[in-house]
Amino acid sequence: MSESAKLLDGKALAKRVLAELGGRVQACTAAGRTPCLAVVLVGDDPASKIYVRSKERKAASVGIETRDHRMPATTSTEALLERIAELNADESVHGILVQLPLPAGVDERRVLEAVDPRKDVDGFHPDNLGLLMLGVPRFVACTPQGCMRLIAASGIELSGKRALVIGRSNIVGKPVAQLLLQQNATVTIAHSRTADLEAEVRGADVVVAAVGRPELVRGEWIKPGAVVIDVGINRVDAGGDKPKLVGDVAFEAAAARAGWITPVPGGVGPMTIACLLANVVEAAEAASS
Ligand code: GUN
């Protein structure tokens, strides 16, 4: 391969994070408080089912208990709020994850606001997003946290760098922009109405792509030596019997120019799960103090 970039290996880092969590889980369990995550999955979205299964498997691998709450796609907002109230009141549950997206008829805002902020291991509650904005985070959303841990583990200095976040979602784009700002990067958020995405990418020392559009960012746009964090996981038809996973960045061409780059798969994805489980352990530790 012609690429010159070093890989930001999320699989390897996630393994290290999980190994460290294992010890903390054991300590909690020895104190009679096994960390426990309630996973609420509403409806039959196939991608969500895969994500949830993979979160539960990884949780089990470090001794974290998970409790599955599957609800039909016809579930009303009220019924879901009731279930969340029960989980909030259950002292043996330390973390609550409501898998997104929710079915169209459910009021996502009300549901996310109903989760006890101290059990909000996804970091989606307005209290937790507000604390992040103020620079005193409690639970930081898992994908943004995973991006930052990948950068930190590689010793990349962000202070004074020009960082471009592509995508302005509440669960990735906005929080990761805040985290980059807290590391003293000069942050731009690009989105679907940005006039000249190519020019923004060409000027960026760090690019975080989180839009869910296969290979939207062309490799030739990447500034030589830049850090490329690709949050996208897009399934595309590659002519075979299985869809191919590609990121939001054209990997081969970008890797030929970048200094550091995350692969897809094996970059941000495994870190998202590791950070979720880190939040669960933190919630369990906080509950016991
Ligand atoms: N859907 C896509 N990403 C996420 C995530 O990080 N958490 C939850 N709960 N749902 C998601």
Side-chain angles (χ1 to χ4, degrees):
M1 271 200 289
S2 63
E3 74 230 31
S4 58
K6 286 186 241 173
L7 276 191
L8 289 162
D9 186 344
K11 218 166 139 183
L13 181 57
K15 227 181 221 176
R16 294 210 295 277
V17 172
L18 291 175
E20 187 259 335
L21 287 180
R24 290 166 61 192
V25 172
Q26 273 182 7
C28 286
T29 300
R33 205 180 289 262
T34 299
C36 174
L37 171 67
V39 178
V40 182
L41 176 57
V42 186
D44 316 293
D45 181 60
S48 288
K49 281 186 183 168
I50 295 171
Y51 292 141
V52 160
R53 201 173 331 125
S54 120
K55 289 169 190 177
E56 291 177 338
R57 256 206 310 261
K58 274 283 180 278
S61 78
V62 291
I64 294 174
E65 189 190 330
T66 56
R67 293 196 200 144
D68 230 352
H69 292 261
R70 304 272 163 131
M71 301 176 81
T74 52
T75 301
S76 66
T77 301
E78 299 306 327
L80 188 48
L81 291 176
E82 233 169 79
R83 183 68 60 96
I84 288 169
E86 286 163 19
L87 296 171
N88 284 342
D90 184 341
E91 282 188 13
S92 68
V93 169
H94 304 106
I96 301 170
L97 179 151
V98 181
Q99 184 65 31
L100 302 181
L102 288 167
V106 176
D107 185 339
E108 182 179 297
R109 196 68 265 146
R110 279 181 74 200
V111 169
L112 296 181
E113 286 180 17
V115 174
D116 180 339
R118 295 187 183 276
K119 297 190 179 189
D120 171 38
V121 288
D122 256 329
F124 294 167
H125 190 284
D127 281 11
N128 288 323
L129 286 165
L131 288 168
L132 171 64
M133 182 90 177
L134 295 171
V136 286
R138 183 196 284 139
F139 292 120
V140 174
C142 311
T143 300
Q145 189 187 148
C147 295
M148 299 308 288
R149 285 198 196 215
L150 272 169
I151 293 171
S154 306
I156 295 163
E157 179 54 61
L158 290 169
S159 185
K161 298 280 173 65
R162 293 169 69 157
L164 176 68
V165 177
I166 310 174
R168 54 176 157 180
S169 70
N170 291 330
I171 67 179
V172 184
K174 287 181 200 167
V176 86
Q178 282 301 321
L179 293 167
L180 290 161
L181 179 63
Q182 279 161 29
Q183 295 298 313
N184 302 310
T186 301
V187 183
T188 300
I189 305 179
H191 46 76
S192 53
R193 309 285 174 89
T194 293
D196 189 348
L197 181 63
E198 175 177 346
E200 299 293 345
V201 174
R202 284 191 184 277
D205 303 305
V206 178
V207 177
V208 180
V211 272
R213 297 205 19 214
E215 302 183 336
L216 170 73
V217 177
R218 308 224 333 233
E220 313 84 73
W221 298 355
I222 299 295
K223 182 173 172 179
V227 177
V228 178
I229 309 289
D230 193 346
V231 178
I233 302 178
N234 308 290
R235 287 171 174 76
V236 297
D237 186 1
D241 39 336
K242 262 189 167 175
K244 184 177 170 226
L245 287 186
V246 302
D248 290 349
V249 180
F251 180 84
E252 292 291 338
R257 296 171 66 87
W260 292 89
I261 190 166
T262 57
V264 175
V268 177
M271 286 305 296
T272 295
I273 298 183
C275 293
L276 167 71
L277 300 179
N279 283 350
V280 175
V281 173
E282 211 171 280
E285 289 169 345
S288 60
S289 58

